[in-house]
Amino acid sequence: MRIDLRIAATLAWLAIPNLASAAAGFDPTPQIPLKIEDADRTRFVNFDATRQRTVAAALAGTSGDDGMTLQKILLGDPVAIGGEGELVGNWRCRSAQLADGSKAGDGKGGAYLYPYFKCAIRKKEGKLFFEKLNGSQRVSGFLYRVRNDRYAFLGGTDLADDPQVPYGYATDRNVVAYLSKVGTKRLRLEMPNTCCSDLEILELVR
């Protein structure tokens, strides 16, 4: 059963409000205490536009059970994060890799969905540290609070049981993202322009 395009368009708009309500081109990098590559700053600045375009295309191009799952992942607006205690601990996490259709050349968006894996947020070196603990593709890195409803994430990708790599280890392995709280026990880590997608969303639940 294909998702009604009117519903998809509405969800695409509703999935964005708090992030898009910030000033266009929000740049969090002055609040992050490390050197950030220009390309990654651009990913942050363009995040809202990238998200809006990609979510709309993915919802319109995803049907059946995958479409329903994607809607559930996108459900909920970012809310204020009261403190680190709301984030620290073990989480179940599932990935949705979204495409806006531009790379395929046919203009059709879509989504590739994964089952739940294990993730965790803990304190490391006095800062919050996120890590995906299993699966063939993993990501890990530090979180920096940049607004009352979001943290900026800077990290790196590794495969299977390879050692974790920090942000700055290699340009093609750098990952930037925003972490938002979207429910009492739900978070979303949203990574624009990854190696495999126009927007990858990790939904964290517990």
Side-chain angles (χ1 to χ4, degrees):
M1 179 179 68
R2 189 174 181 81
I3 296 175
D4 187 300
L5 293 183
R6 291 170 299 177
I7 296 174
T10 300
L11 284 168
W13 176 252
L14 292 178
I16 294 170
N18 283 3
L19 291 177
S21 65
F26 173 65
D27 181 5
T29 57
Q31 303 177 61
I32 301 172
L34 73 163
K35 183 178 180 180
I36 298 174
E37 295 190 13
D38 289 342
D40 295 328
R41 178 182 176 277
T42 298
R43 283 198 275 184
F44 274 128
V45 170
N46 292 339
F47 173 80
D48 291 337
T50 298
R51 187 184 195 278
Q52 184 170 7
R53 178 185 69 250
T54 306
V55 166
L59 282 170
T62 307
S63 59
D65 291 342
D66 283 351
M68 295 299 293
T69 298
L70 180 57
Q71 290 182 44
K72 291 178 181 178
I73 289 173
L74 292 167
L75 185 66
D77 300 336
V79 298
I81 300 170
E84 294 181 350
E86 298 179 6
L87 307 179
V88 171
N90 296 320
W91 297 83
R92 292 191 303 138
C93 56
R94 61 179 173 182
S95 170
Q97 295 182 347
L98 311 186
D100 65 10
S102 60
K103 294 184 177 65
D106 56 10
K108 295 181 179 179
Y112 191 89
L113 306 175
Y114 289 83
Y116 282 105
F117 293 100
K118 295 179 180 179
C119 290
I121 298 176
R122 58 188 175 88
K123 292 299 287 288
K124 179 179 179 181
E125 300 173 10
K127 296 173 288 187
L128 288 179
F129 185 81
F130 168 85
E131 54 189 338
K132 182 173 178 285
L133 297 169
N134 59 347
S136 59
Q137 301 175 40
R138 304 186 189 182
V139 62
S140 60
F142 288 101
L143 294 160
Y144 303 89
R145 187 157 194 164
V146 293
R147 295 180 64 90
N148 73 335
D149 63 351
R150 71 171 86 174
Y151 278 73
F153 168 87
L154 281 88
T157 58
D158 58 89
L159 300 177
D161 294 320
D162 289 347
Q164 293 178 339
V165 298
Y167 177 81
Y169 174 84
T171 299
D172 61 351
R173 297 177 71 172
N174 284 343
V175 178
V176 300
Y178 282 124
L179 179 75
S180 300
K181 177 183 174 183
V182 292
T184 304
K185 297 182 178 181
R186 289 183 64 234
L187 309 174
R188 281 198 301 259
L189 185 74
E190 306 190 42
M191 301 168 273
N193 307 120
T194 69
C195 65
C196 306
S197 63
D198 295 301
L199 178 72
E200 179 174 356
I201 300 175
L202 269 179
E203 180 196 36
L204 285 69
V205 298
R206 63 181 176 188

